[in-house]
Amino acid sequence: MSGLETRSKSTYIDGAWCDGESGETYTSWSPSTEQAVGTAQLSSPEQVDAAVASARAAFEGDAWRSYGPKDRARVVNRLADLLEKNTEPLARLIGDEVGTPIGAARGMQVGGPVEALRWYAEMAERGPRGGYSHALPLYDKPVLSTSLLRYEPAGVLAALPAYNYPINLLAWKLGGALASGCTTVVLPSPQGMQTTLRVFELIDELDLPPGVVNLVVGGPDVGKRLTGHPDVNLVSFTGSDAVGGQVMSQSALGSLSKAVLELGGKSPNIILPAADLDATVGPSILRFARNAGQGCAAWSRVLVPQDRLDEFCEKADAFIRTIAVGDPQEDATVVGPVISAEHRAKVEGMVADAVSAGATVAAGGGRPDLPTGHYLNPAILTGVDVDAPIAQTELFAPVAIALPYTDVDEAVRIANATSYGLAANVFGPLDEAMPVAERLRSGTVTINGGAGMRPDAPWGGPGRSGVGRELGEDGFAEFFEVKHIQWPLAGVTRPPGT
């Protein structure tokens, strides 16, 4: 079945496709061609209940519980195989629905999830924190006893990935659930729905026990029903901090379930005085313009020594003019469109407000001359106060601000002057950059651009960047509850205190 078709069977419950029963539909529109990608019938609140019930029955039933660590690892690896086999059509579909340029989509949007799933398969065999059970040292109060810690799957997961990396974020959540033994109900962002539907067609090929993985589609009413459901044990959400706060509230009021939230950032990129300025310009721009700036770790605040700010902006403007902005299906394209006309208008409004308040578009800016699509040229603004709205708001667009600093202490203060703390970067000699990295309030700090996204490293950050972690040992541990089992070595004893 193609993602370009209008489909009624857009809900996957208990191992079978079924019609969405809300009576409403959602059409995904290409941000580049402005043509329909596909239309799906949305799920009803009652279908959310049915999906959760199916996940609960699967979690408590014998079929899924009979899957041991090696079995679960085989399932996760098989899903990675299916994604890898379908790399090109999936990358093309993401280019059409999300707007990621095909050159990046193959690696970031499909290759990245494959690597994450392979890592989760390894973790399924190893277990969290190095094993599914750990013995504690002997304890002698009031009598000699021993204890065992057991890590057991948390239960039913509500997984809500965002649109900007629809397969990545699904793989991070679903990979951990399958590897740990949880069961799942997935609710994708409507703007990444067609891609998710195609992935679920591949998931259907896994022949899992019914109810292990379920899919509902819809808007806020479906999300509220799912995240507040009393039979959900764990919620994993990626999106804005505003919606994340609502999700946490709903999960607390529903079953007081644990919530793992990845909510974005306003990441600083510090160019130290000793850094090679020429070498930093290109990477700085490409990191905030990647995926049209629709990434939670975009380096959207560039901190430059005050006496080199003009030089940086001149070089940045020249570099931006070399960037191919346009059709995401073309291999030469570097920057594609933002997700919608409404979002572009919102971003342009914030830029206009900043300019009205005294800011200057010092590099790039404006729209490319293209007949269709919601495109923006990469842009850098100067003359922006550290606490200005555009300096504190995650834009999800290829727009950054350049902030001058007089010394490294001031650079650190400016970098930390945000309610977010997801990611940061420092350019400069390692012996100078490392002490700066250690002072930044951020879940991930790269030096000189870092390297690839490691699945064995945790992802997340403090403040409004969220709660908990994804990936890495810390992220995998989120899918478990820990049980303490203790017994005296001398047999039955009187309870302490009696």
Side-chain angles (χ1 to χ4, degrees):
M1 184 176 294
S2 167
L4 297 177
E5 296 175 356
T6 298
R7 57 188 298 164
S8 60
K9 295 190 181 300
S10 56
T11 301
Y12 188 80
I13 299 175
D14 211 35
W17 289 101
C18 52
D19 294 346
E21 297 176 353
S22 69
E24 300 177 353
T25 62
Y26 181 87
T27 299
S28 297
W29 296 92
S30 169
S32 58
T33 67
E34 302 182 47
Q35 300 297 309
V37 179
T39 300
Q41 290 188 6
L42 302 183
S43 311
S44 67
E46 292 75 20
Q47 287 180 301
V48 175
D49 296 341
V52 173
S54 176
R56 172 59 58 194
F59 181 71
E60 296 179 352
D62 293 335
W64 181 232
R65 285 182 178 270
S66 71
Y67 279 60
K70 290 184 181 296
D71 302 312
R72 297 196 301 273
R74 280 193 291 270
V75 167
V76 179
N77 268 322
R78 173 64 177 145
L79 179 55
D81 291 341
L82 289 169
L83 292 179
E84 193 168 45
K85 181 180 177 181
N86 288 272
T87 292
E88 190 66 18
L90 287 170
R92 294 288 177 186
L93 179 55
I94 288 175
D96 206 18
E97 184 174 33
V98 177
T100 305
I102 187 65
R106 293 185 186 103
M108 291 169 46
Q109 295 276 23
V110 186
V114 168
E115 184 182 9
L117 289 171
R118 301 273 188 229
W119 180 80
Y120 273 125
E122 294 177 10
M123 294 304 295
E125 296 199 49
R126 286 172 48 198
R129 311 295 190 194
Y132 288 96
S133 63
H134 301 276
L136 293 180
L138 294 175
Y139 185 71
D140 62 357
K141 296 182 178 60
V143 297
L144 192 63
S145 66
T146 190
S147 290
L148 186 70
L149 298 183
R150 279 180 51 85
Y151 291 91
E152 301 176 348
V156 175
L157 166 71
L160 294 84
Y163 76 83
N164 55 325
Y165 289 96
I167 305 179
N168 257 304
L169 300 174
L170 175 61
W172 292 6
K173 302 172 194 310
L174 187 56
L178 291 171
S180 66
C182 292
T183 58
T184 307
V185 180
V186 174
L187 171 62
S189 164
Q191 292 166 311
M193 187 185 302
Q194 295 298 319
T195 300
T196 307
L197 288 168
R198 177 61 189 127
V199 172
F200 260 78
E201 291 170 359
L202 300 178
I203 290 171
D204 192 40
E205 297 181 26
L206 298 175
D207 293 323
L208 291 168
V212 171
V213 182
N214 305 270
L215 171 70
V216 293
V217 293
D221 58 331
V222 172
K224 184 175 182 180
R225 186 71 159 246
L226 177 59
T227 57
H229 200 287
D231 251 352
V232 166
N233 304 109
L234 171 64
V235 175
S236 180
F237 169 83
T238 304
S240 71
D241 55 327
V243 177
Q246 296 176 27
V247 167
M248 175 171 272
S249 174
Q250 288 154 195
S251 65
L253 293 173
S255 64
L256 206 61
S257 57
K258 180 168 68 172
V260 177
L261 310 174
E262 199 270 88
L263 307 179
K266 194 70 177 176
S267 301
N269 171 28
I270 301 175
I271 300 174
L272 293 177
D276 179 348
L277 191 68
D278 287 339
T280 70
V281 172
S284 295
I285 294 164
L286 294 173
R287 272 302 272 113
F288 76 73
R290 187 173 70 184
N291 207 29
Q294 296 165 126
C296 48
W299 299 345
S300 53
R301 293 184 299 142
V302 186
L303 281 65
V304 186
Q306 188 172 45
D307 60 356
R308 305 199 72 182
L309 180 62
D310 291 342
E311 180 187 0
F312 175 83
C313 290
E314 289 173 7
K315 294 177 182 295
D317 187 64
F319 184 86
I320 288 171
R321 294 178 189 278
T322 71
I323 293 177
V325 179
D327 184 357
Q329 300 297 344
E330 295 291 335
D331 282 316
T333 297
V334 175
V335 176
V338 296
I339 194 65
S340 67
E342 293 77 14
H343 183 61
R344 180 173 64 176
K346 177 182 176 182
V347 172
E348 289 176 327
M350 291 198 68
V351 171
D353 289 345
V355 170
S356 295
T360 299
V361 180
R367 300 180 181 182
D369 184 16
L370 296 169
T372 62
H374 315 310
Y375 296 99
L376 287 169
N377 291 320
I380 296 177
L381 277 65
T382 57
V384 176
D385 291 336
V386 172
D387 58 354
I390 202 167
Q392 294 293 325
T393 303
E394 184 180 48
L395 294 183
F396 249 46
V399 177
I401 59 171
L403 298 165
Y405 67 86
T406 55
D407 56 40
V408 171
D409 287 341
E410 184 184 23
V412 171
R413 286 195 298 271
I414 293 172
N416 289 335
T418 173
S419 57
Y420 296 104
L422 182 62
N425 180 70
V426 184
F427 280 116
L430 183 60
D431 61 339
E432 297 181 21
M434 184 64 73
V436 175
E438 292 171 352
R439 296 172 63 187
L440 297 179
R441 185 173 181 265
S442 179
T444 294
V445 182
T446 54
I447 293 176
N448 293 326
M453 184 83 182
R454 297 183 59 144
D456 61 344
W459 184 250
R464 299 194 71 84
S465 284
V467 177
R469 293 294 186 271
E470 294 190 282
L471 300 177
E473 291 277 5
D474 297 276
F476 190 47
E478 302 281 10
F479 293 93
F480 293 88
E481 293 289 348
V482 61
K483 177 186 293 182
H484 174 210
I485 302 174
Q486 183 184 36
W487 63 97
L489 296 184
V492 179
T493 61
R494 290 173 62 93
T498 65

